[in-house]
Amino acid sequence: MEQQVIGLGVPIIRGFVSSLERHGRPLLASYASGVIETQRVVLATGIMDKQTRLAEWVDAVRRGELRYCSICDAFEEIGREIAVVGPFGHAIGKALFMRVYSAEVILVPTDDVRDEAGVQQLADAAVQVAPCLVALQRKEGGHRGGVGRRHPRAFRHRLSRDGADVRSELAVQLGVSHTSDGFLKVDDKQRSNVDHLYGIGDVVTDLHQISVAFGHAAVAACHAHHSLPMRYA
């Protein structure tokens, strides 16, 4: 895809945009090597997953032992023992979701917060709740690992539900409307409330799917294109 863009004569600038500012009609994007003046901006800055307490989390992801997206990976986990790791209140929904795919789901909370309604929901669905997590580790000679506060517990597959940070700071600086979690609010054309600023993908929705982001991109790109003055060949 990068080669396609280059073939169309579109310049690719590698750098970290530190701010977006509005000066009249154009939007100014500042980065280390200068400032880009643009008539339209599409933000595809996404999210940053919060990492679980596992020193070897990168390797665990590569081995398929640690996963992040229940919607993406649930079907592949059918019938397997699954540990959903994260803050109790945040992990309940994902544990119940995974219970549809497996009879062996255990919620491993990373905090001591409990609520009676949540505990009852899990009990009704036969989801186990482990002691509060202290650390995760890999068991030597196998694919299992996990350490609770009171005793160790082994499980083969882990789903991290520690949440994510929405990378919407550039838009928030401009006064873009957003949710309490930081997701940008956009209309059906992916437009924010700031003129000529669009948001696509994970920065606007918690349905973290590549296909969703591509759909957003198509809608935003078409609207941005048609909104620009026509230049005849």
Side-chain angles (χ1 to χ4, degrees):
M1 294 182 70
E2 182 176 333
Q3 291 304 312
Q4 289 179 17
V5 170
I6 293 172
L8 293 170
V10 179
I12 296 177
I13 300 173
R14 303 190 185 281
F16 181 84
V17 176
S18 57
S19 69
L20 276 179
E21 299 176 69
R22 177 179 290 286
H23 287 273
R25 183 171 292 274
L27 289 164
L28 304 180
S30 300
Y31 68 111
S33 301
V35 177
I36 301 170
E37 182 177 307
T38 179
Q39 297 301 317
R40 303 290 184 272
V41 170
V42 179
L43 281 182
T45 44
I47 59 172
M48 182 69 71
D49 286 310
K50 295 178 181 177
Q51 299 307 330
T52 190
R53 283 172 261 178
L54 175 64
E56 301 177 14
W57 69 267
V58 174
D59 288 335
V61 170
R62 288 173 178 159
R63 291 190 298 264
E65 297 169 19
L66 177 63
R67 305 199 180 207
Y68 289 89
C69 181
S70 54
I71 295 175
C72 302
D73 301 327
F75 188 81
E76 297 176 13
E77 301 300 302
I78 289 176
R80 296 176 174 176
E81 185 180 39
I82 303 162
V84 179
V85 181
F88 185 81
H90 189 69
I92 288 176
K94 301 306 177 184
L96 293 173
F97 180 85
M98 295 305 296
R99 181 64 181 81
V100 175
Y101 295 88
S102 175
E104 297 183 85
V105 177
I106 179 170
L107 190 155
V108 185
T110 55
D111 58 22
D112 286 314
V113 178
R114 301 287 186 278
D115 67 87
E116 292 184 10
V119 170
Q120 189 59 54
Q121 273 188 295
L122 295 170
D124 291 344
V127 174
Q128 302 176 59
V129 179
C132 184
L133 180 77
V134 171
L136 281 170
Q137 66 185 33
R138 190 163 193 265
K139 184 178 179 181
E140 293 298 326
H143 300 293
R144 303 179 178 225
V147 178
R149 178 165 293 167
R150 298 188 184 89
H151 55 78
R153 171 67 187 265
F155 30 78
R156 185 170 296 278
H157 299 275
R158 300 182 290 271
L159 175 68
S160 175
R161 295 312 308 161
D162 284 310
D165 293 318
V166 184
R167 302 179 66 184
S168 55
E169 297 88 350
L170 292 173
V172 172
Q173 290 172 7
L174 279 175
V176 172
S177 295
H178 57 88
T179 70
S180 58
D181 292 323
F183 294 105
L184 304 186
K185 294 182 179 180
V186 295
D187 65 11
D188 60 350
K189 301 299 183 183
Q190 302 304 130
R191 295 176 294 185
S192 73
N193 64 308
V194 171
D195 287 343
H196 307 145
L197 181 63
Y198 301 76
I200 67 172
D202 290 351
V203 77
V204 302
T205 177
D206 59 358
L207 182 58
H208 309 311
Q209 302 285 308
I210 292 174
S211 56
V212 172
F214 269 88
H216 289 172
V219 171
C222 287
H223 187 276
H225 176 79
H226 291 305
S227 71
L228 291 168
M230 298 185 82
R231 294 182 181 180
Y232 299 106

